[in-house]
Amino acid sequence: MADLSLLQEDVQEEIDGSLDFVSQDEMLTPLGRLDKYAASENIFNRQMVARSLLDTLKEVSDDEKDCIAVLERVSRLSEDSEPTVRAELMEQVPHLAMFCQENRPSIPHAFSKYLLPIIVRYLADQNNQVRKTSQAALLVLLEQELIERTDVESKVCPVLIDLTSPDSNDDVKTEAVAIMCKMASMVGRDITERLILPRFCEMCCDCRMFHVRKVCAANFGDICSVVGQDATEKMLLPRFFQLCSDNVWGVRKACAECFMAVSCTTSQELRRTKLSALFINLISDPSRWVRQAAFQSLGPFISTFANPSNSGQYFKEEECKSSKDDQQSENDERTAKEVLAEDASSVEEEDDVPLIDKLCTDSDVNFTVKLESSLEDVAGESSKDSSQQVDFLSCCTLPLQSTADSSKPEQISNESNAHEVLELASPESPVTEQELYNSFHFWRTPIPEIDIDLELKRTQAESRSTESSQTVQKASSPGSPNITMATRKELEEMIENLEPHIDDPDVKAQVDVLTAALKASKLGTQEDPKSSHLNREILYRNDRIETGKINCKIACEDSGPLISDSVECMQSTLRYIHDDSDLSTSGSFSPEDEKKSKVQDVVPQALLDQYLSMTDPSRAQTVDTEIAKHCAYSIPGVALTLGRQNWHCLRDTYETLAADMQWKVRRTLAFSIHELASILGDSLTAADLLPIFNGFLKDLDEVRIGVLKHLYDFLKLLPPDKRREYLYQLQEFLVTDNCRNWRFRAELAEQLIFLLELYSARDIYDYLLPIALNLCGDKVSSVRWISYKLVSEMVKKLYLAPTQTLVLDLMNKLVEQFCRSSKWSGRQTFVFICQALIEDDCLPMDQFALHLMPHLLHLASDRVPNVRVLLAKTLKQTLLEKEYFLTSANSHQEAVEQTIMALQMDYDSDVKYFASIHPASTKLADDAVSTASSTY
């Protein structure tokens, strides 16, 4: 017992001591407690001081001197030798800075004088955790604009520049470069160009630390977007070219990832001539990781070639007749002048006429191409053979119907590396209705007629060489092939030289193109009544019909060092190799030629060829297993860039992706098919997208959800007859692979709400109403809630129909299926639907009182309390708030009051409560949700 008493005395003494300690702290002032624990040898006490700084500052905020004293203690605490204390302090600095900003009048310049020097000093701290914390704090303060611009220039930037000096620590230098890049967008263009950009350019050339170069490459796009086009092209692009050829693959990979951002800040010409060639090098990089990043960025990079003036697309071709299209046509004309280069020796350029519609003097076609191979793998063999291919396409003509008048052609002389010019001319031919109203006329507005002295031009043409005239006339005779036997032999030799390297996807693609050109050259005379193909392929246009002549001119832009002559030759081959009689009759490619042609002039052809090769199975093995998914993700942007007139280039690729074995690829397409439909227009959508859309409807749920989420967006683009065909398939969305996938059904209900505006009242009643009633009985409350909204919108739509028969039948169905249901959940559903009808004013209150309210009030005698509880809420909180039941004294109002009185006398306490409360004392939604969740 004695020992026990002694133990109790010791415990009591310890308790008394601790109480004395607490009482002593309470007697101290905030500054006294701060000084006491800041001087403690215990690390945890000093950490607690750092955490309590904000509270201490708030306690003394009324006294400016005490606030300054606290901030001075913060400066002393920042010199603590323990890294954890310094890191804890730095975590509190942003909060202290915000407090100082809010109380700026009482403690002016507090942040700049006391806190900012701590942040800047910690950027070079030896401890990694302290540095990371200070960097995060600096970025937060810059983002919140709590640092003055003068402080950024005088205190922050000089320190960062010093930290990136050659003698600085490697880790510190790398982190400082990263901070400089991240803060560039926050400090603006002026400070970035004057203080950050010069040092950034130096860091891009850091020969010793590849980590620094990698950080620069990763943030290159951000810097370019801040400084703008001029500084990017003058100072940054040379560094970017060096980084793209860096010895370290990680640096090149970072360049590939930011390529789109860099491209967005350059001119179209530079993008086409230099960046494209640079990107091709990254795609063919020895490192698989670099190629993988490059292919992921290929689609976004191609999208930067889109012409902003053409970004507004019309879905219906007929809509292009509007006045807005006139402005778009003017923009197209200006774009054509920029994109398609013109030979200096050609016809004098006129400002109001697009380049593709210029009138020229030549009556027939003369096209000369020099072919050189661009493949590195076969440079020694293929280049030698292909460099000898001169006059690849010689004297190709487009004669129309024969007339007595014959014209003499003119041989076009092209300078070295100049752009090839194709000039078409023909005798006069009758203009049919199909030519006047073809698809091209809907894509471009009619070009105004231009008077020109054709006789003078004809006289000039006749003065040309007789030998060249005879050569052209011989090649242009009806039924003769466009390509001579010698040229065909050259094509066969080229294909034979490339066949040993057929394993390379690039070589294989080139062989396919040359094979198609060879087959096209052997085609006999055929007639194709559709004139829209040539219009879409080469933008051919009958500009002016004069006596004996139709003149137009097409120029192909030289792509500089990016696209080799061999690529240009393949483009020209696919574009212009066709049968003379076919063109003379219909002015278009045959369907087979158009299907094989992948030529366009919007983006460099080499880029498009690489993009189309992303569906090649060999790419999945050598580059990335998910390369097809990246291709599918980018295809809407690529299609928008190329325009609907070049959809033929992407059609086969899109069909290949739609049939891909990976459901992720098909899912990606399903989520974007509505966007692609809006780009292509109604005719192409009906021809090419509808079959794929139908396939997605029968795919896995992971794919179907993509179609379902944008079902309205896609169906609204279809003609009414096509749209109505899908009414029969909507019922299939109720069946899922997994019955627990309730979000699928919830999305269906949401889409059906939007679809109501696309269909007639009869179609809604016959096809959509059964689906809605099915969803109202779903096992998941979230699906049911959306379905109540759906049914109420249906009632509203049918009530506005010309006849009231359908809405009356719908209300009778609701009464029979739900109000008179043998299950209490069905009767509760009827109350929820009535509640939604009242809230959304889907019916006039007199119609509601006449057709639905008697059945609603009848549920007051329901044997299930949950039904009566919801009825009491609906009557008291929803129905009685309507003006119809507040101002007019009628039999319906009396019936409601009698029902409420009966509910107030209910034996169930919950029913009695909700029938007695004031309508505004609670919220219906919260109560209804709680009721639904507790009763199902």
Side-chain angles (χ1 to χ4, degrees), residues 85-333:
V85 176
R86 301 198 302 273
E88 189 67 45
L89 172 63
M90 186 50 57
E91 290 183 359
Q92 302 301 319
V93 166
H95 304 290
L96 297 175
M98 293 178 185
F99 179 82
C100 293
Q101 182 69 19
E102 294 173 358
N103 298 270
R104 190 181 183 91
S106 59
I107 44 176
H109 309 294
F111 171 76
S112 177
K113 183 177 181 181
Y114 296 101
L115 299 180
L116 185 58
I118 301 175
I119 299 175
V120 173
R121 187 170 73 251
Y122 279 6
L123 290 176
D125 196 273
Q126 295 181 354
N127 185 268
N128 181 57
Q129 181 182 3
V130 177
R131 291 200 310 273
K132 296 293 185 182
T133 310
S134 64
Q135 294 164 12
L138 177 62
L139 294 178
V140 169
L141 295 174
L142 286 172
E143 185 178 4
Q144 299 293 329
E145 298 181 353
L146 296 178
I147 305 180
E148 299 290 341
R149 295 184 63 85
T150 54
D151 292 335
V152 173
E153 295 186 34
S154 61
K155 297 182 179 180
V156 178
C157 288
V159 172
L160 291 175
I161 293 175
D162 290 340
L163 293 178
T164 56
S165 60
D167 57 345
S168 180
N169 180 271
D170 292 342
D171 294 337
V172 174
K173 181 191 296 187
T174 304
E175 294 169 358
V177 173
I179 291 295
M180 291 171 59
C181 296
K182 292 178 181 178
M183 64 182 289
S185 60
M186 303 176 188
V187 300
R189 179 174 180 174
D190 179 56
I191 294 179
T192 302
E193 286 187 348
R194 288 190 292 106
L195 302 178
I196 297 178
L197 185 58
R199 181 50 60 94
F200 177 82
C201 293
E202 294 178 10
M203 293 296 99
C204 290
C205 303
D206 192 303
C207 300
R208 190 171 61 89
M209 284 288 296
F210 81 90
H211 297 288
V212 175
R213 302 196 304 274
K214 185 177 180 180
V215 172
C216 292
N219 296 275
F220 211 95
D222 298 333
I223 297 294
C224 291
S225 61
V226 173
V227 300
Q229 178 176 334
D230 293 339
T232 297
E233 295 181 353
K234 293 179 181 178
M235 300 184 64
L236 291 176
L237 273 189
R239 306 296 187 276
F240 189 67
F241 275 69
Q242 295 176 7
L243 293 175
C244 287
S245 59
D246 197 274
N247 294 330
V248 180
W249 66 264
V251 178
R252 303 195 302 273
K253 178 176 179 290
C255 291
E257 292 172 346
C258 70
F259 213 94
M260 176 187 176
V262 176
S263 177
C264 289
T265 55
T266 61
S267 64
Q268 184 78 315
E269 179 182 1
L270 195 61
R271 186 181 303 134
R272 178 177 292 272
T273 57
K274 294 185 178 181
L275 290 185
S276 298
L278 186 63
F279 196 85
I280 292 296
N281 292 335
L282 292 176
I283 283 182
S284 58
D285 194 271
S287 172
R288 175 172 181 168
W289 307 112
V290 178
R291 297 197 304 271
Q292 179 177 333
F295 273 108
Q296 291 181 16
S297 301
L298 178 55
F301 176 50
I302 289 178
S303 67
T304 61
F305 287 87
N307 185 5
S309 62
N310 296 335
S311 59
Q313 295 277 344
Y314 291 100
F315 180 74
K316 302 285 187 181
E317 278 83 5
E318 289 79 10
E319 293 174 7
C320 294
K321 293 182 179 180
S322 63
S323 59
K324 293 183 180 180
D325 189 65
D326 296 338
Q327 178 65 31
Q328 182 177 354
S329 178
E330 295 175 4
N331 295 333
D332 291 342
E333 294 172 12

Side-chain angles (χ1 to χ4, degrees), residues 527-569:
E527 292 185 1
D528 187 357
K530 299 180 181 179
S531 61
S532 60
H533 297 302
L534 180 60
N535 293 329
R536 292 178 181 174
E537 289 290 3
I538 61 173
L539 300 181
Y540 174 76
R541 173 75 185 272
N542 290 333
D543 180 41
R544 175 169 176 81
I545 300 176
E546 293 285 346
T547 303
K549 287 290 178 180
I550 297 178
N551 295 302
C552 74
K553 179 180 125 184
I554 298 174
C556 297
E557 179 179 359
D558 183 15
S559 297
L562 168 64
I563 307 178
S564 64
D565 291 342
S566 63
V567 178
E568 289 290 341
C569 182

Side-chain angles (χ1 to χ4, degrees), residues 259-530:
F259 213 94
M260 176 187 176
V262 176
S263 177
C264 289
T265 55
T266 61
S267 64
Q268 184 78 315
E269 179 182 1
L270 195 61
R271 186 181 303 134
R272 178 177 292 272
T273 57
K274 294 185 178 181
L275 290 185
S276 298
L278 186 63
F279 196 85
I280 292 296
N281 292 335
L282 292 176
I283 283 182
S284 58
D285 194 271
S287 172
R288 175 172 181 168
W289 307 112
V290 178
R291 297 197 304 271
Q292 179 177 333
F295 273 108
Q296 291 181 16
S297 301
L298 178 55
F301 176 50
I302 289 178
S303 67
T304 61
F305 287 87
N307 185 5
S309 62
N310 296 335
S311 59
Q313 295 277 344
Y314 291 100
F315 180 74
K316 302 285 187 181
E317 278 83 5
E318 289 79 10
E319 293 174 7
C320 294
K321 293 182 179 180
S322 63
S323 59
K324 293 183 180 180
D325 189 65
D326 296 338
Q327 178 65 31
Q328 182 177 354
S329 178
E330 295 175 4
N331 295 333
D332 291 342
E333 294 172 12
R334 289 191 294 269
T335 304
K337 291 181 181 180
E338 297 173 359
V339 175
L340 300 176
E342 183 178 28
D343 194 335
S345 62
S346 300
V347 185
E348 183 178 356
E349 189 172 306
E350 296 180 17
D351 294 337
D352 56 345
V353 182
L355 183 57
I356 61 174
D357 293 308
K358 291 290 183 181
L359 296 176
C360 59
T361 60
D362 297 271
S363 61
D364 296 294
V365 178
N366 185 4
F367 186 76
T368 303
V369 165
K370 183 177 180 180
L371 179 63
E372 294 180 358
S373 174
S374 63
L375 299 175
E376 297 178 358
D377 296 339
V378 291
E381 182 177 1
S382 299
S383 298
K384 179 180 179 180
D385 296 335
S386 59
S387 61
Q388 301 173 359
Q389 309 304 323
V390 183
D391 295 332
F392 183 77
L393 271 178
S394 162
C395 306
C396 298
T397 60
L398 298 174
L400 296 183
Q401 296 180 359
S402 60
T403 60
D405 182 27
S406 62
S407 57
K408 295 185 178 181
E410 176 183 3
Q411 180 73 28
I412 303 176
S413 60
N414 293 338
E415 297 178 357
S416 176
N417 295 330
H419 308 302
E420 290 83 12
V421 178
L422 174 65
E423 300 186 356
L424 309 178
S426 69
E428 181 181 359
S429 62
V431 181
T432 63
E433 182 179 356
Q434 182 180 6
E435 293 176 3
L436 290 175
Y437 297 98
N438 57 26
S439 62
F440 183 78
H441 284 237
F442 290 96
W443 181 249
R444 295 265 197 252
T445 54
I447 304 301
E449 293 187 352
I450 301 174
D451 295 332
I452 188 168
D453 192 347
L454 293 178
E455 294 299 329
L456 177 60
K457 298 295 181 180
R458 190 177 296 113
T459 302
Q460 295 175 357
E462 291 175 354
S463 63
R464 298 295 179 178
S465 173
T466 305
E467 181 180 356
S468 62
S469 174
Q470 293 176 353
T471 303
V472 174
Q473 290 175 357
K474 179 178 179 181
S476 63
S477 60
S480 63
N482 284 327
I483 298 182
T484 62
M485 293 300 295
T487 305
R488 293 176 188 169
K489 184 177 180 180
E490 293 168 356
L491 272 176
E492 294 173 352
E493 292 177 355
M494 290 182 59
I495 296 174
E496 184 179 353
N497 292 334
L498 292 175
E499 282 181 353
H501 309 278
I502 199 68
D503 295 336
D504 192 312
D506 297 330
V507 178
K508 183 178 182 298
Q510 195 168 14
V511 170
D512 293 340
V513 172
L514 293 175
T515 304
L518 182 61
K519 291 181 179 179
S521 67
K522 296 179 180 180
L523 290 177
T525 60
Q526 298 177 359
E527 292 185 1
D528 187 357
K530 299 180 181 179

